[in-house]
Amino acid sequence: PRSTLFPYTTLFRSKNVVRCWPPWSNANSAPEDYNCLADSVIASNPDAVSIQFNFGFFAPHILGFLLARFKAARIRVVVTLHAIDGPDFARLVTTLRTADLCLVHRQADLQTLMAHGVKQTMILDHGVIPSGGDTEPRRREPRTGGEFVVGSFGFFLPPKGIYELILALSLARRVNPRLRLKLLNALYPIRESMAYAETCINLIHELHLGGSVEVCTEFLADHEILQELSTADLVALPYVFSTESSSAAIRFPLASQTPIVCSDLAIFNELEGVAHRVPAGNVFALAMKILQLSKDPRELCRYSDAQARFVQQLSWNKVGARFLQLIQAQISQPSTSESASAGGEGNVLADIST
């Protein structure tokens, strides 16, 4: 296959981005390793700090350490949870009770946290990147004749189902040799990602698919991703496992207005009636769905209007405005633990994410 391999090490080198803490966190992580992070945030003098929480970003005790530091500095803390299904949930809940506001992406997470006493929890929709400034939904017309390109997007990690997608394409090509695969799957900075990418590329060679598969492991800019995805006829995200509450990766295929097929895991439940779905891990079902959609343009575009409306309703502009309103509301009211500071002018928001 045509392939490019790039390490995920140069991302986010910017004067507005400070890399100041260890990249991985677990139950054995030392809180003092995160003093540089806390000091950097406090030194920027924000009114509020937004923390993107994932169990792989921070262990719950590290999150607790950061919240304590920020609260002592009288900085409002808003925590957005990518998932709540993870290790040490009890400690996470205890920590979240000290945050000024917790944001989740689905109703089930809201109900769980509320039931465990995290009363300051709200739902904030997971936004979608705008595809070019369109304000009205637009329908993508299917191409006819020639090759049928199946795209994929997201990090090169085993739960993403890329290996299964390659197997499915091999099966489907026995019936429809016009099928091609474009893997836009960036390497993640862990050994497992490189090993998984090598396994998948070896499978491509073993199945003699080299002339029918394009592989790109570079972390592309947003406009490049949208451009590449828009050249596909279908984008497949056949995840086999996920504890996440909502998928960030699928936002780009949505914005590209390319039809999507994804697995039936809970992470994609919000896309019922917006994307085609197949049983997770079922290579034969995925192959059959790809064949069906490659031969039936009307079925392929069944959800095009719904997809366009979904993108419009959850555009970053709208979700971002809602997020800013929530932050400003926190700044204007007393803290959960102490009165607001009467200090000097500060930045509205600092953001912590990986």
Side-chain angles (χ1 to χ4, degrees), residues 228-243:
E228 290 291 338
L229 291 175
S230 68
T231 65
D233 298 281
L234 174 70
V235 178
L237 280 81
Y239 287 22
V240 295
F241 175 77
S242 178
T243 60

Side-chain angles (χ1 to χ4, degrees), residues 9 14 42 46 53 76 82 126 173 202 237 271 305 330 351:
T9 56
S14 165
I42 294 170
F53 178 79
R76 307 304 171 84
H82 295 198
H126 197 156
R173 276 180 55 82
N202 288 338
L237 280 81
L271 298 174
D305 291 338
Q330 290 302 315
D351 181 74

Side-chain angles (χ1 to χ4, degrees), residues 66-81:
L66 293 173
L67 262 64
R69 286 288 312 271
F70 298 148
K71 300 294 280 186
R74 297 185 178 182
I75 299 172
R76 307 304 171 84
V77 181
V78 177
V79 180
T80 301
L81 294 111

Side-chain angles (χ1 to χ4, degrees), residues 157-171 181 196 200 203 238-240 280-284 286-287 290:
L157 294 168
K160 305 299 184 180
I162 302 167
Y163 189 92
E164 287 77 10
L165 177 58
I166 296 168
L167 289 174
L169 183 88
S170 177
L171 290 174
L181 185 59
Y196 184 60
C200 289
L203 177 65
Y239 287 22
V240 295
N282 191 324
V283 172
F284 297 101
L286 179 59
I290 290 173

Side-chain angles (χ1 to χ4, degrees), residues 20 34-45 65-66 69-70:
C20 55
Y34 296 80
N35 271 320
C36 182
L37 167 59
D39 292 342
S40 297
V41 170
I42 294 170
S44 70
N45 193 31
F65 167 77
L66 293 173
R69 286 288 312 271
F70 298 148

Side-chain angles (χ1 to χ4, degrees), residues 129-141:
I129 183 174
S131 57
D134 293 345
T135 57
E136 296 296 328
R138 62 185 178 89
R139 184 189 181 106
R140 174 194 172 97
E141 295 299 329

Side-chain angles (χ1 to χ4, degrees), residues 191-203:
R191 288 188 297 271
E192 289 85 348
S193 181
M194 180 65 78
Y196 184 60
E198 291 177 352
T199 297
C200 289
I201 291 174
N202 288 338
L203 177 65

